[in-house]
Amino acid sequence: MTREILRETSYDLNDLNEYISTNEPLLLPDHKAAYNAILDRINRKAGGIIFLDAPGGTGKTFVINLLLAKIRQKSEIAIAVASSGIAATLLHGGCTAHSTLKLPLNLTQCETPLCNISKGTGEAKVLQECKLIVWDECTMAHRKALEALDRTLQDLRDNGKLMGGAVLLLAGDFRQTLPIIPKGTMTDELKACLKASYLWRHVHKLELKTNMRVHLQGDVAAGQFAQQLLSLGDGKIVADPTNGLITIPNNFCNIVDSIETLKTSVFPDIRHCFNDHKWLCERAILAPKNDSVNTINLQIQQQLTGVNISYKSIDTVVDIDQAVRYPTEFLNLLEPPGMPPHSLVLKVGSPIILLRNLDAPRLCNGTGLCVKSLMPHVIEATILTGCARGEDVFIPRIPMIPNDMPFEFKHLQFPVRLAFAMSINKAQGQSLKVAGIHLVTPCFSHGQLYVACSRVGTGKNLYIFAPDGKTRNIVYRTALQ
């Protein structure tokens, strides 16, 4: 038995039985309809693709985790992946889609891409034997990723049916962000969207509509907030025809008048509260671009007691012949997306987010941690999110090679970033108790404002800083049809 098969089958059956018996009775009617329809398709060995359309707060993660437990209870294999690292940490045994499915990094450059999984390997055996593959936050995925998975499964399982006869459950909400296309236009994003794939016409659609917060707590304000969010996501809030900006409704959230107020609203009395891990991991400030995120992170970290420790990266070109063309000083200035900075400044007690899979599923891309101690060659941190919450771990420096540069260079650094603030795209899938949104630079892509606002369950815990209370809400109607 391979290591990969062992990892996917070594769940504690008693824990699974208890989880199912506790949570199955809690399913609401629309949950139960979707849950039974998916299980029926698996039991009939019908295979195919199902899309679970689920806006924020409708219990999508609850249903998915119950489905995973139900399959694993029979000692069968269910694979859980998500397009974003943060969403993957919410699924039991979850990991990022790129990591688990070995999706090619140059998807867009290849006409008929395949997953980098060869027959006879452990990963291939897992895909050959799995009964269910769950792909959460699928709307962020490129259509070619879905097509690569279909080709790979048909090849590995020697089965010409859709997805090689396995059931693929796609889950998400097309009001949220679409695939990121560097320097792309609206047309480029829509062409990369799953709905543009030739596979989409075969997809069976299921819906979750009941807002769990309203149903469980009878919270009328949360119900009104959920309706306002849907109006925002559907582009129904009318924009000013002269400048294309919408006015944020006063009864929607708390509108603040400065960045200082935004920081103190989301992180009140941080000097005394930062040692409370629960308090720390349930709040964040979101911004559309990394420049704003980096500035806010360093400003908030300065408020913590303790000494700044700076870690400098070691940057080298992969091809030694290019060393003269790209000197070290130039490489130090580069900061590709998804990479830690050249100069990483941290303090004990700061929240950080992992940028690479180190030890899945404990330490995945998107796992939240809190710095416990800072040593010259290793960072000790406490895990704040996911299945290993509360564990202390050591994080080493690792070599990282960005794949979206015109040349290859190696960046040796700790694979972490500060997480007081994060980009809106990085936060997709994250649930927060308190969120702030920094909109001095407005949103620039479909669904970003909706994603940012829907991280919380009620408007009274949402703080927005936007010039004159106005901002841009970009919605591609084509993506919602």
Side-chain angles (χ1 to χ4, degrees), residues 211-390:
N211 189 287
M212 293 286 279
R213 298 178 188 108
V214 182
H215 179 82
L216 294 175
Q217 298 157 14
D219 189 340
V220 178
Q224 184 186 352
F225 181 67
Q227 287 305 314
Q228 288 174 307
L229 274 178
L230 291 177
S231 297
L232 188 73
D234 290 330
K236 290 179 181 172
I237 297 177
V238 180
D240 184 328
T242 56
N243 55 22
L245 303 180
I246 63 162
T247 301
I248 300 164
N250 284 326
N251 64 346
F252 177 61
C253 63
N254 306 294
I255 297 169
V256 298
D257 56 6
S258 72
I259 186 167
E260 286 306 317
T261 312
L262 183 71
K263 289 187 287 192
T264 52
S265 300
V266 179
F267 294 99
D269 197 20
I270 191 167
R271 282 173 175 269
H272 300 104
C273 297
F274 76 94
N275 286 319
D276 182 347
H277 290 172
K278 184 176 183 296
W279 181 89
L280 200 59
C281 73
E282 63 189 16
R283 59 195 64 232
I285 293 173
L286 310 177
K289 294 197 171 179
N290 284 324
D291 296 350
S292 312
V293 168
N294 296 340
T295 305
I296 295 166
N297 270 324
L298 291 173
Q299 287 172 350
I300 297 176
Q301 182 173 248
Q302 280 304 107
Q303 297 176 36
L304 304 190
T305 53
V307 184
N308 281 341
I309 304 291
S310 178
Y311 295 103
K312 297 280 197 292
S313 67
I314 300 169
D315 298 326
T316 51
V317 286
V318 174
D319 180 0
I320 198 71
D321 295 335
Q322 293 186 316
V324 176
R325 188 183 298 177
Y326 302 111
T328 304
E329 294 78 7
F330 169 70
L331 299 179
N332 292 163
L333 296 172
L334 300 175
E335 203 172 312
M339 301 283 274
H342 163 60
S343 180
L344 179 66
V345 180
L346 297 174
K347 281 185 179 181
V348 171
S350 290
I352 53 177
I353 188 166
L354 201 59
L355 302 175
R356 290 291 183 275
N357 296 315
L358 293 184
D359 179 24
R362 290 164 70 247
L363 289 171
C364 284
N365 179 350
T367 300
L369 305 107
C370 181
V371 175
K372 190 174 181 184
S373 66
L374 296 163
M375 291 164 268
H377 304 294
V378 75
I379 294 172
E380 186 181 7
T382 305
I383 298 175
L384 299 181
T385 58
C387 60
R389 188 184 292 119

Side-chain angles (χ1 to χ4, degrees), residues 140-199:
M140 296 172 78
H142 198 288
R143 66 177 174 82
K144 286 192 175 180
L146 182 68
E147 292 162 12
L149 178 61
D150 179 47
R151 285 187 205 98
T152 305
L153 286 173
Q154 288 188 30
D155 177 41
L156 293 178
R157 296 166 73 103
D158 293 321
N159 187 329
K161 288 183 180 175
L162 204 62
M163 294 296 156
V167 173
L168 172 66
L169 174 62
L170 301 170
D173 178 3
F174 278 99
R175 297 177 189 87
Q176 297 191 337
T177 56
L178 299 177
I180 298 166
I181 309 296
K183 299 181 176 63
T185 62
M186 169 181 163
T187 308
D188 294 326
E189 286 187 43
L190 290 171
K191 274 172 69 179
C193 171
L194 291 184
K195 286 187 175 181
S197 171
Y198 62 85
L199 294 170

Side-chain angles (χ1 to χ4, degrees), residues 382-455:
T382 305
I383 298 175
L384 299 181
T385 58
C387 60
R389 188 184 292 119
E391 283 187 32
D392 289 345
V393 292
F394 290 107
I395 299 169
R397 291 178 195 262
I398 64 168
M400 290 163 275
I401 300 176
N403 65 314
D404 50 1
M405 302 292 286
F407 64 97
E408 283 195 331
F409 80 98
K410 188 160 63 176
H411 186 67
L412 184 68
Q413 181 60 292
F414 295 102
V416 298
R417 270 183 178 276
L418 283 169
F420 295 105
M422 64 180 79
S423 69
I424 291 171
N425 288 57
K426 188 80 178 170
Q428 187 157 321
Q430 172 101 318
S431 289
L432 297 168
K433 186 176 177 185
V434 182
I437 308 176
H438 182 268
L439 292 173
V440 172
T441 303
C443 295
F444 58 87
S445 185
H446 168 86
Q448 282 186 320
L449 188 60
Y450 172 75
V451 167
C453 295
S454 59
R455 296 310 91 208

